[in-house]
Amino acid sequence: MFTGIVEERGEITARDDLTEAARFRIRGALVTSDASFGDSIAVNGVCLTVTELADDEFTVDVMAETLKRSSLDRLGAGATVNLERAMAAGGRFGGHIVQGHVDGVGEIRAVSPSENWTVARVAVPAHLARYVVEKGSITIDGISLTVSAVGVDREYGDWLEVSLIPTTLAETNLGDAAPGVRVNLEVDVIAKYVERLTGAGRTANADVEGSEPNE
């Protein structure tokens, strides 16, 4: 489990495309400082397993299903990624419950900077919009954020807005965000469990292709 508090910005140093998979080598001095083979590290919000370690780099294998459901398929050597180690049992809970299971990919539609913060508007896939509420939690590229506004219009369809403070802009890849950039979205897992338990989502989920959770 993760909390959506990004620990460092890493860099993809190599990508190898395999049969129905891809292998990434990623530089991240902090997250590798105490990492071991088999540990979980969230890369842009995707929970991945460490398969190799060398100096300050680690290697992960990403299966085709995960590539299809996330924005990792578009990344290659030189790309900057948000990194977070799995939460320690006695650690401080700083964000919200993040599983590292991406629910869908959104697209940044607008970035509006101001003196003290920046507002980013993100298009949300229609089947995820029902889980997004104003003042609720959302994970964008592995970052725990508070939804500041939601809406729908002809241009964007369903959208949400988040307000990004200078620290978030400086310490995560959202500082480089621009319209057209695709981002990984993970909605609040509690909302999904409530929907399942009440039976409200059974019909809706049956109509969504690939609605089963990813790795």
Side-chain angles (χ1 to χ4, degrees), residues 78-152:
T80 299
V81 289
N82 298 323
L83 302 176
E84 181 190 358
R85 291 169 289 188
M87 181 182 178
R92 186 182 299 274
F93 201 102
H96 72 282
I97 298 173
V98 177
Q99 295 180 295
H101 298 167
V102 172
D103 292 302
V105 177
E107 183 175 320
I108 295 177
R109 294 292 192 175
V111 178
S112 304
S114 65
E115 182 178 357
N116 296 310
W117 64 83
T118 293
V119 175
R121 178 171 289 192
V122 181
V124 179
H127 71 280
L128 296 181
R130 64 183 181 274
Y131 302 114
V132 181
V133 296
E134 188 174 343
K135 306 305 179 186
S137 296
I138 187 77
T139 307
I140 300 179
D141 267 1
I143 309 164
S144 173
L145 296 167
T146 299
V147 177
S148 56
V150 296
V152 58

Side-chain angles (χ1 to χ4, degrees), residues 8 60 118 142 157:
E8 69 175 320
V60 291
T118 293

Side-chain angles (χ1 to χ4, degrees), residues 4-23:
I5 304 300
V6 173
E7 296 186 275
E8 69 175 320
R9 295 176 67 176
E11 180 184 352
I12 297 175
T13 59
R15 170 177 173 160
D16 295 320
D17 289 311
L18 311 172
T19 302
E20 297 187 341
R23 180 167 295 149

